[in-house]
Amino acid sequence: MTRLFLALPIFAAMPLAAQDLSVAEIATLPRVIDSLCVDIYDLNGCENVFLLENEVETDTADLVILPDRRNDATDPMLIVREFAYNGAMWGMSPSLELDEETGRFYIHSEQIGIGRHPWFQTLTVREVDGRPAIIGYDYSTYDRAQGGGYSCSLNLITGDFSFNYYDVDPETGEETFSTDEAGLIDVAPVVLENWTAFGATPEPCNSSLNAFFAREM
């Protein structure tokens, strides 16, 4: 039997003319992590929210808010450098989510790719007194090695908070210890420009998270 081998073209990873980018686009588009169109202000149209990889500290993401592209204004409405954690592996990228019913949006951060204690963080954002501000903070983690977990929720408008942490028996899976607490504290919304990726965790989430980790000592 005669076999016929055809010479097939080899396609290399090279830019095509139809895909050419400008210098500005090449510098910016690869940095885009996520984007969202959300009506933050009572203006005509929605604001464009972007998470961009920081050019210097690549383990963080910048938060940028631009006016609606159909408006004449072109200047950014807000730029916050190193706003969110942005790891290099899967399970470490921040993201945006819109709540269409309330007009709020969420900025999610996570580190679930490696390590003993994967974690999740969500910031709830809406306009407060003419400025976009964080009005809710939620954080959770769990122990991959021994079991157990932790969660904390804080409303920065009302001051309501709740947290829980617990242990489980790694052999039986039964819960061996649990702490639940809820209450009310004096708080205020945090304007976005005052938040950073590695800033202080708000209370009482900070002290209760430390208590969760202290149980391992």
Side-chain angles (χ1 to χ4, degrees), residues 19-190:
Q19 297 174 333
D20 283 348
L21 299 175
S22 69
V23 173
E25 289 168 337
I26 291 173
T28 304
L29 290 179
R31 295 172 50 214
V32 176
I33 301 169
D34 203 0
S35 64
L36 191 66
C37 192
V38 55
D39 190 7
I40 302 174
Y41 303 98
D42 187 18
L43 300 171
N44 181 26
C46 61
E47 286 68 52
N48 294 285
V49 183
F50 291 90
L51 288 172
L52 303 178
E53 181 183 86
N54 184 278
E55 293 184 287
V56 179
E57 300 294 338
T58 55
D59 61 345
T60 65
D62 299 334
L63 179 68
V64 179
I65 300 180
L66 303 178
D68 189 291
R69 62 180 177 79
R70 291 156 291 198
N71 291 341
D72 294 333
T74 58
D75 292 337
M77 304 178 78
L78 181 70
I79 300 177
V80 188
R81 303 297 184 191
E82 301 179 31
F83 181 88
Y85 172 73
N86 175 46
M89 301 174 63
W90 291 104
M92 299 183 182
S93 294
S95 61
L96 301 167
E97 179 187 0
L98 174 64
D99 184 337
E100 295 185 357
E101 292 186 1
T102 65
R104 301 172 179 178
F105 70 96
Y106 307 103
I107 304 173
H108 302 294
S109 303
E110 64 181 21
Q111 196 296 92
I112 60 174
I114 58 173
R116 177 173 173 177
H117 298 102
W119 57 266
F120 307 85
Q121 175 188 279
T122 295
L123 306 177
T124 304
V125 180
R126 73 167 171 82
E127 180 269 332
V128 177
D129 296 330
R131 304 169 73 181
I134 299 167
I135 64 166
Y137 175 85
D138 292 272
Y139 183 94
S140 63
T141 184
Y142 61 93
D143 190 335
R144 277 188 171 126
Q146 296 184 3
Y150 165 89
S151 65
C152 185
S153 181
L154 173 63
N155 186 315
L156 292 166
I157 296 289
T158 66
D160 289 286
F161 74 86
S162 63
F163 63 81
N164 163 270
Y165 56 91
Y166 63 94
D167 276 325
V168 298
D169 187 316
E171 295 185 358
T172 65
E174 295 182 358
E175 189 173 291
T176 59
F177 172 80
S178 179
T179 293
D180 290 277
E181 188 172 332
L184 189 68
I185 60 173
D186 290 329
V187 291
V190 179

